[in-house]
Amino acid sequence: MKPLITTAACADIAELRQLYYAVYGPHYPVALGTDPAEMARLIEDPHSLWLVGRCPDTGALTASAAIHGEAGSRIGRLEGIAVHPAHRSAGLAAALTEALCAGMLDTGRLDSVYATVRTVSTGPQRVVARNGFRPLGILPNAVDLRSRESLALYARHSAGVLDRRIPVTQVPSPMLPLLRTAEAALGIGYPGVRAAGPLPATSAPPEAVERLEMIEAPAFVRRRFRERFPDTQGWFYPLHTPNVLLTPEDGRFEVYAYLNRAGGYCSLLTAHPDPAAAAAYLEPVTRALARAGAGYVEALVPLAHHEALSTFLAQGFVAGALYPAMRADGDGFHDYAVLSRSSERIDFRGVVVEPPLRPYLDCYASAWASTHLPTSPEVAS
């Protein structure tokens, strides 16, 4: 019997919270399934779409999923896929995902939708793959759910978007294997791209880490961020609003980040007056965030920004995913890379991946080893 799929309403919030607790227990670090105020905002957001599945006979809420969008952006995030344990294996997750994509992608409201998928089993990967999402890479140690878990990044694009990617001429040499992996996995090309040596690294003095102040006042940080960055030009990071600010005593730069303490992760968003101003302090910034509970720190960097990519690579970040045609620029689209660094031990023994995702896992493992394991001369010395 086909499920009854309807738009979520504020009257569903109590039942939705029960659903997410039944699926994820008390450790779900996403406001979508735990915070009534945030849930109401998403339900009423004109740029988002939240659907629920109900049992045709009883009307009981059995499944939920949403695509979260935002004003001024044509990218969305598929999130909150949950099916009650008593109603699994009935195709509910796939049905909701397809209905969401039909409402947001097929209608032209969005250019692409991405999803971060758990890797403790292949089920979530199969759900998004059956609905046209393709793997973009691996995010190791990305979230803390009872224990550290790695996530997989998937995306689905509207028709014709991938054909309008703006060419990239060069990337730092450590990035080239990821590009080749994406070419094979996604059927896209990087013709003529050349591997350039990374730029010389700049680093702050060791004592600089002690002089960084971290301001955790979300409302103040949001106001200041909007003053500094009135639009999305510059350091584009969709669907993330900063809630912490890091700055040295003299205030010569400000680093904005989104810190999720419940999930133990952080996204670096941008820096003022520009990212280059904070480049030498990337190591102290990462350490300060680790002390605040972020065992995983990530950054989304334009693939065409050779200097920025080199800076992150020089500070121990590893590129694990590539998001082609992520950001619109006129009639074209820019590719972005996801670079991350974990302060906790990465253990892939519990990771289960479908064959299309496996090359990304192998690529990341090789890149991590090249970055963090000593070379033969170093061992000999």
Side-chain angles (χ1 to χ4, degrees):
M1 187 178 295
K2 290 185 63 176
L4 177 63
I5 296 178
T6 62
T7 304
C10 289
D12 298 325
I13 289 177
E15 202 172 357
L16 281 165
R17 293 181 70 195
Q18 292 176 353
L19 171 68
Y20 283 97
Y21 188 91
V23 174
Y24 294 104
H27 303 288
Y28 191 53
V30 180
L32 177 148
T34 57
D35 186 329
E38 288 299 322
M39 294 169 75
R41 275 192 280 271
L42 182 61
I43 287 171
E44 297 172 348
D45 180 11
H47 307 287
S48 302
L49 179 61
W50 191 340
L51 298 178
V52 297
R54 292 188 175 275
C55 176
D57 293 332
T58 65
L61 197 150
T62 56
S64 169
I67 287 181
H68 187 182
E70 64 183 354
S73 173
R74 291 183 54 81
I75 184 172
R77 178 175 64 230
L78 175 66
E79 59 185 31
I81 298 178
V83 177
H84 194 280
H87 295 269
R88 289 175 180 164
S89 302
L92 286 171
L96 282 174
T97 302
E98 185 54 40
L100 286 167
C101 290
M104 298 295 275
L105 283 174
D106 298 349
T107 57
R109 292 177 64 183
L110 298 175
D111 294 318
S112 67
V113 171
Y114 74 91
T116 52
V117 180
R118 297 178 74 185
T119 59
V120 292
S121 69
T122 59
Q125 300 164 48
R126 291 174 180 172
V127 167
V128 294
R130 283 197 298 263
N131 286 276
F133 286 74
R134 293 190 286 179
L136 305 184
I138 195 81
L139 310 176
N141 276 9
V143 67
D144 194 349
L145 296 168
R146 297 187 180 92
S147 62
R148 274 286 161 188
E149 288 189 19
S150 296
L151 301 178
L153 180 65
Y154 281 74
R156 174 171 163 174
H157 292 76
S158 292
V161 168
L162 287 173
D163 298 327
R164 294 154 56 193
R165 294 166 43 247
I166 297 172
V168 174
T169 58
Q170 67 174 13
V171 295
S173 53
M175 295 290 302
L176 202 57
L178 179 60
L179 267 62
R180 299 306 178 218
T181 300
E183 284 181 323
L186 304 175
I188 61 176
Y190 287 95
V193 68
R194 65 183 182 87
L199 299 174
T202 57
S203 58
E207 64 272 14
V209 67
E210 303 300 330
R211 296 202 305 267
L212 278 181
E213 297 179 345
M214 188 166 76
I215 301 170
E216 292 188 76
F220 167 78
V221 173
R222 285 195 299 270
R223 287 196 306 271
R224 192 169 183 87
F225 177 75
R226 291 179 184 127
E227 293 171 0
R228 300 295 200 191
F229 302 93
D231 54 41
T232 59
Q233 299 301 312
W235 214 251
F236 180 73
Y237 212 115
L239 301 165
H240 285 70
T241 301
N243 57 5
V244 298
L245 185 158
L246 297 100
T247 185
E249 291 178 347
D250 59 11
R252 64 185 176 279
F253 67 80
E254 298 172 353
V255 173
Y256 292 86
Y258 170 74
L259 173 64
N260 187 309
R261 288 185 178 275
Y265 64 87
C266 181
S267 299
L268 296 175
L269 306 188
T270 190
H272 179 82
D274 56 69
Y281 282 77
L282 186 55
E283 174 70 21
V285 165
T286 305
R287 290 184 181 179
L289 291 169
R291 289 200 306 271
Y296 169 89
V297 178
E298 71 177 7
L300 193 60
V301 182
L303 193 60
H305 286 203
H306 182 260
E307 182 177 358
L309 290 171
S310 294
T311 297
F312 278 95
L313 293 169
Q315 297 297 334
F317 281 72
V318 179
L322 186 69
Y323 198 138
M326 195 203 79
R327 181 185 178 190
D329 183 2
D331 293 330
F333 291 85
H334 291 289
D335 295 356
Y336 276 66
V338 184
L339 298 98
S340 66
R341 177 171 155 177
S342 177
S343 60
E344 301 178 25
R345 182 172 64 92
I346 298 175
D347 188 350
F348 286 140
R349 286 176 296 181
V351 169
V352 184
V353 296
E354 287 282 275
L357 188 61
R358 184 76 204 191
Y360 288 107
L361 185 62
D362 294 339
C363 182
Y364 180 87
S366 178
W368 187 94
S370 297
T371 302
H372 294 289
L373 295 184
T375 61
S376 296
E378 290 172 336
V379 173
S381 62

